[in-house]
Amino acid sequence: MALGAAAAGGLVLAALVGSPVPRALAVVLAAAALVGCVFAWRRSARTLRSAGRAAVGARSEREVRAAIRRTASIAAGYGIVLGGRNGDCDAVVFTRGQGAAAIEVKTGHGEVTVDGAAMRVGRRVLHGSPTRQAANQARWLARRLGRSDVLAVVCVPGMTNRPFTSSGVLVCGAPDLGRVLAAAPRVFGSADEARRAMERLWRDSAAAESGRQVRGPAGARRPTRSPAARPGRRRRR
């Protein structure tokens, strides 16, 4: 707004001044302000679009967390760093049946289809390969747990069709997440064993995340635990 006002003022000044030199200076000032105004507008528009996408992604993750809480799982951790270069896992869940699942959350509303590595939600094609992401996170979680039967899940909260399997990965919406997690094979001998495993994952992830934050932006996500993980204790943030 300030640059736009400066550009308009420069044009008005150029029209009012009769001397050629001041008029030329006013025109140069107006042109410079106008260029700066266009640049600032483009940057602001990009920032607002990014903020909108981030808000949609955060809302999707909140919906998935609410769905996980409704399953009364033994323990759940969010944003846990498991390994590899593809970032953290959106959710690690140890189910009521003592199974384990790695969940990747994607945004969108409509019918979800998978064609090869590409996933489409409605008319929009999601970036990358969500099923491969989920499979990688499940593989890393299995290595950390010393188990092999970790369920890989892609959850699109706004998915309107029924759950299906693609390349060994279950794809579902938030309303079907409880039923999908109930199918996870048992990997722990007891609920206490599952809680101790989540504690180890959380500690290792917190250490890895603190190392990231030395280089990363302030406010980067840290893993949190479901109240089911430690009854009566405050959630870490």
Side-chain angles (χ1 to χ4, degrees):
M1 290 177 65
L3 288 169
L11 293 174
V12 171
L13 184 62
L16 295 177
V17 174
S19 176
V21 175
R23 183 183 298 130
L25 290 174
V27 170
V28 170
L29 172 64
L34 184 60
V35 170
C37 183
V38 171
F39 176 76
W41 177 80
R42 288 182 175 176
R43 288 293 298 271
S44 298
R46 252 196 322 266
T47 301
L48 287 173
R49 284 195 297 269
S50 297
R53 287 193 295 267
V56 172
R59 185 165 60 248
S60 295
E61 292 196 4
R62 285 197 299 270
E63 291 179 26
V64 171
R65 292 186 187 199
I68 290 171
R69 284 195 295 271
R70 288 193 293 270
T71 67
S73 57
I74 295 173
Y78 305 100
I80 289 185
V81 179
L82 296 174
R85 299 180 179 179
N86 291 332
D88 50 20
C89 184
D90 291 329
V92 172
V93 180
F94 296 158
T95 68
R96 185 168 50 182
Q98 298 172 26
I103 304 174
E104 284 296 307
V105 180
K106 300 300 176 184
T107 61
H109 184 84
E111 183 180 4
V112 178
T113 57
V114 177
D115 182 10
M119 177 176 287
R120 185 185 297 272
V121 182
R123 297 182 178 180
R124 185 169 64 94
V125 177
L126 299 182
H127 175 72
S129 175
T131 53
R132 185 167 61 236
Q133 271 185 284
N136 287 340
Q137 296 290 358
R139 186 175 67 253
W140 291 324
L141 178 59
R143 289 177 181 174
R144 300 291 300 276
L145 297 176
R147 306 290 197 275
S148 59
D149 298 325
V150 172
L151 191 67
V153 180
V154 175
C155 185
V156 184
M159 176 173 164
T160 56
N161 49 318
R162 295 173 62 84
F164 62 92
T165 302
S166 175
S167 301
V169 177
L170 276 164
V171 182
C172 69
D176 297 306
L177 188 58
R179 184 156 51 93
V180 166
L181 291 178
R186 180 171 180 167
V187 297
F188 297 107
S190 66
D192 287 339
E193 181 186 352
R195 293 189 185 100
R196 288 194 297 270
M198 181 61 75
E199 289 288 345
R200 289 194 299 272
L201 288 176
W202 193 92
R203 285 195 300 268
D204 293 346
S205 180
E209 191 73 7
S210 63
R212 268 190 196 176
Q213 289 175 356
V214 172
R215 300 183 301 274
R221 287 189 308 161
R222 295 190 59 186
T224 58
R225 290 176 294 176
S226 162
R230 297 284 284 179
R233 294 285 297 276
R234 185 177 60 184
R235 293 176 62 187
R236 296 178 185 264
R237 296 186 180 275

